[in-house]
Amino acid sequence: MDFSFTADDEVFRAEARAWLREHVGPDPDRRAWERTLGKAGWIGLGWPEGGYGNRTAGLTQQVAWAEEYARSGAPPRSGHIGENLLAPTLVAHGTDAQKARFLPPIAAGDELWCQGYSEPNAGSDLAGVRTAAVREGEGYRISGQKIWTSLAHEADWCFVLARTEVGSRRHHGLTFLLVPMDQPGRIEVRPIRQMTGTSEFNEVFFDGAHARAEHVVGAEGQGWRVAMSLLGFERGVSTLAQQIGFAQELMRVVRTAVRTGAADDPVLRAALVRQWAELRAMRWNALRTLGGSGDAGAPSVSKLLWANWHQRLGELAVLVRGAEASAGPRDWAPEAPYEIDRDQQLFLFSRADTIYGGSDQVQRTIIAERVLGLPREPKGVV
């Protein structure tokens, strides 16, 4: 695919850059920021036209927007799960009524979503779902637990993979449900405090939570097909924006290495050059595979590459600082809040990169079985 930018694309890029320069301020409220993006039509650029309140853009223009967003220092998105995961899934598998109900609020930044996939004792084994949904009247009654649910404490809705066929195993008998989070006494969200002191991830407990029958995406029992389709959308244009952020982090580490004298160490110099070269290779690989289809291994290769690269960068971020990396930005006191600086945040949070979004082991299994044709790995009975 040709990713040379046309004159029209560059005009679009200039418009995006100017808008971001005008609207990105210091530490905005994240929900308010989503509404600001939505009001200007910047949510859902990759969706088809359909009167959902979004502007449409070609693939190169989506890349231009993602890159300018990353370069501008704009805040992390709270709406990316709805925009980049659920919305394309609804476009592919949802009914017209579901699209009309859910896409406009996502485009406006009014409704935020979380993903109810991972469960305790299942790790990255998505087919190990035990959360049950029982048909009851005009809907489903859901009981079970999800874990590592990003931004569940902020979300209005959750798309939940649940088992609707009693006695079913693995990927059979699963259903993809859209569940409102505002159900006091039926849904409990418990933030998980991480090494970084923050709590982006959560445990979510469903105790008789209700989902309406018309909020089944696909059909009952077809949840695995819908869930796999959604995972295919997880690594698209946003990968390039992620790499812009990686480049900024890398250059910060390089500047620190020069400041501390670590850049004179031949081992560290070689490691920094390797990081730079691998980041360039990841970018060209992302451009090569972007918009393509039929390569079962491409998403897994991408995840393996960036997760391990970013984890190594976190290690370098503290190595080039030496002993000073072990001290926090302020003197510690029992009554003071837990606080770390950017390099320490990078080091600690990147430990999870090879786990969330499908662990390295799961990605390698996918490549082994679906690309190389190796024998399937034995699975335990759920």
Side-chain angles (χ1 to χ4, degrees), residues 120-190:
N121 302 317
S124 294
D125 180 15
L126 186 55
V129 166
R130 296 183 180 183
T131 294
V134 178
R135 192 64 186 262
E136 185 176 79
E138 296 300 314
Y140 294 83
R141 180 168 46 82
I142 305 168
S143 298
Q145 181 187 354
K146 300 293 182 177
I147 197 167
W148 308 119
T149 309
S150 300
L151 304 179
H153 58 297
E154 299 180 9
D156 304 293
W157 288 80
C158 182
F159 51 88
V160 176
L161 192 62
R163 196 164 295 280
T164 48
E165 182 182 333
V166 178
S168 62
R169 295 177 178 176
R170 305 301 299 164
H171 57 274
H172 301 288
L174 299 174
T175 300
F176 192 100
L177 297 160
L178 309 180
V179 182
M181 292 293 286
D182 186 15
Q183 300 191 46
R186 295 181 176 181
I187 297 180
E188 181 184 359
V189 177
R190 298 180 189 172

Side-chain angles (χ1 to χ4, degrees), residues 1 13 37 55-56 71 148 272 301 314 355 357:
M1 181 174 290
R13 182 188 292 278
L37 289 169
R55 68 174 81 190
T56 57
R71 289 191 179 105
W148 308 119
L272 291 169
V301 170
I355 301 173

Side-chain angles (χ1 to χ4, degrees), residues 64-135:
W65 163 255
E67 291 181 339
E68 293 303 325
Y69 190 92
R71 289 191 179 105
S72 72
R77 294 287 309 281
S78 292
H80 67 281
I81 295 175
E83 177 187 8
N84 298 322
L85 298 184
L86 178 67
T89 304
L90 289 180
V91 169
H93 301 284
T95 64
D96 289 341
Q98 288 170 346
K99 296 173 193 174
R101 164 61 186 86
F102 293 109
L103 294 185
I106 294 174
D110 287 335
E111 289 184 348
L112 303 181
W113 286 78
C114 61
Q115 175 175 289
Y117 273 16
S118 297
E119 295 190 3
N121 302 317
S124 294
D125 180 15
L126 186 55
V129 166
R130 296 183 180 183
T131 294
V134 178
R135 192 64 186 262

Side-chain angles (χ1 to χ4, degrees), residues 15 33 48 54 77 87 89 109 116 119 142 164 176 185 211 215 241-242 256 258 271 299-300 312 334 337 344 359 363:
E15 179 189 353
W33 175 242
N54 61 303
R77 294 287 309 281
T89 304
E119 295 190 3
I142 305 168
T164 48
F176 192 100
H215 291 167
Q242 178 191 55
T256 301
V258 172
S300 294
R312 289 196 302 272
Q344 294 163 336
S359 69
Q363 305 306 332

